[in-house]
Amino acid sequence: MFSSADHTFAICAYKESPFLGECVRSLQQQTLKTNVIMCTSTPSDYVENVAKEAGIPLFVNPAKPGIGSDWNFAVICASTPLVTIAHQDDTYAPRYAECAVAGMNRAARPLIFFTNYGELRDGEEVDDNQLLSVKRMLLKPIAKTGIAATTRKKRGLLSKGSAICCPSVTLNKQTLPDPPFISDMKSNLDWDAWERFSHLDGEFVYDNNILMHHRIHQDSETSALIRDNTRTQEDLAMLKRFWPAPLAHLLNAIYSKGQNSNQ
């Protein structure tokens, strides 16, 4: 059984996000107090001061900045089996850690835990819109039980789009490959990882409650990747892992229309 001592929020700080402090505060207000660390590959006085003021250990990645490198470094720096890679622009509901630990304890061999989520737009929480509705529909097959144990069920959740919100995910290092992220993708590094994990023995655990909010803003990396068409190309590559090429192209055309709300 996992306890609070087995979980770490590893904040990935990149450059000088004005939202970093808000993310930190949300993690310090958890009902279940777990570990919090900060990792960066772009050290600065700003990042160091935020970490120092919050009393959070700061680790500097000596490798060249990159999403995969940064995420894997965050996982390595966490000394616990359960790790949530907290994105610096996002916020977490007070019960996130409590529900993550409890969720992992519901499964026999948990691989990942993830949650329902809302968005932050212009500083306001948005819990319902077309994109969120579509993603919740894709996750409906496990909304009641909260467990996907078979390969078929796990892959079914991923086959029509990336419905698992990356910053809502907690990894179980004990059951996952080391390192967990190996793709050179920029936009779908997470979808690639979940697809690979779907072949492993173990469960995906889902909590249908909205336990974090993902910030949408034009300066985000996601918005930049949508603008330069990287996202569409990588989406097609992922869909081809599940479907014949003609059907993958059709699904991608439909899927790409939803990207407009992510900018």
Side-chain angles (χ1 to χ4, degrees):
M1 297 290 288
F2 295 108
S3 70
S4 59
D6 297 316
H7 175 263
T8 298
F9 285 109
I11 307 167
C12 278
Y14 180 70
K15 294 186 177 178
E16 298 184 0
S17 169
F19 309 112
L20 179 58
E22 189 176 350
C23 175
V24 170
R25 287 189 292 274
S26 75
L27 303 184
Q28 293 183 321
Q29 294 170 356
Q30 296 291 305
T31 56
L32 182 69
K33 302 302 180 183
T34 62
N35 305 283
V36 182
I37 64 174
M38 188 179 296
C39 306
T40 185
S41 57
T42 56
S44 66
D45 290 342
Y46 173 78
V47 171
E48 291 176 7
N49 288 335
V50 172
K52 184 177 181 180
E53 290 177 6
I56 297 174
L58 176 63
F59 299 87
V60 178
N61 185 358
K64 181 180 179 181
I67 298 175
S69 171
D70 291 346
W71 289 0
N72 284 329
F73 181 71
V75 172
I76 291 171
C77 290
S79 60
T80 58
L82 305 182
V83 186
T84 305
I85 301 175
H87 295 205
Q88 64 181 3
D89 294 343
D90 302 337
T91 60
Y92 292 77
R95 294 186 62 245
Y96 178 91
E98 178 184 342
C99 293
V101 173
M104 288 292 193
N105 285 330
R106 287 195 292 113
R109 183 179 170 82
L111 299 168
I112 61 173
F113 165 88
F114 63 101
T115 79
N116 196 350
Y117 77 103
E119 295 178 344
L120 285 169
R121 293 180 179 270
D122 299 321
E124 299 293 329
E125 293 184 354
V126 178
D127 289 341
D128 289 294
N129 59 31
Q130 186 175 6
L131 179 62
L132 292 172
S133 295
V134 170
K135 293 201 171 187
R136 289 165 187 164
M137 180 181 67
L138 295 177
L139 294 173
K140 194 172 181 180
I142 62 165
K144 289 185 178 180
T145 65
I147 297 284
T150 65
T151 298
R152 180 178 180 180
K153 197 162 190 177
K154 286 179 285 190
R155 293 182 66 74
L157 301 176
L158 304 165
S159 63
K160 299 180 184 66
S162 183
I164 298 177
C165 180
C166 182
S168 82
V169 172
T170 292
L171 307 170
N172 181 4
K173 292 164 60 174
Q174 295 176 328
T175 55
L176 296 177
D178 181 19
F181 303 102
I182 61 173
S183 173
D184 59 358
M185 288 185 173
K186 296 180 179 179
S187 175
N188 287 333
L189 184 69
D190 54 342
W191 193 2
D192 166 82
W194 317 150
E195 189 273 333
R196 288 186 293 103
F197 298 168
S198 71
H199 296 283
L200 301 177
D201 177 29
E203 301 94 354
F204 285 5
V205 184
Y206 175 56
D207 192 313
N208 195 32
N209 293 297
I210 297 174
L211 294 175
M212 60 86 53
H213 284 83
H214 176 54
R215 194 178 303 273
I216 307 296
H217 60 99
Q218 291 192 347
D219 293 331
S220 71
E221 182 67 14
T222 299
S223 296
L225 293 171
I226 290 173
R227 287 193 294 270
D228 71 6
N229 206 40
T230 298
R231 175 71 175 269
T232 298
Q233 295 174 6
E234 292 188 2
D235 286 347
L236 178 60
M238 287 303 306
L239 289 167
K240 284 182 176 179
R241 296 189 189 182
F242 301 94
W243 307 99
L247 187 52
H249 278 278
L250 177 61
L251 287 171
N252 197 40
I254 298 171
Y255 191 61
S256 64
K257 293 180 181 179
Q259 292 179 2
N260 293 330
S261 66
N262 245 341
Q263 300 188 70

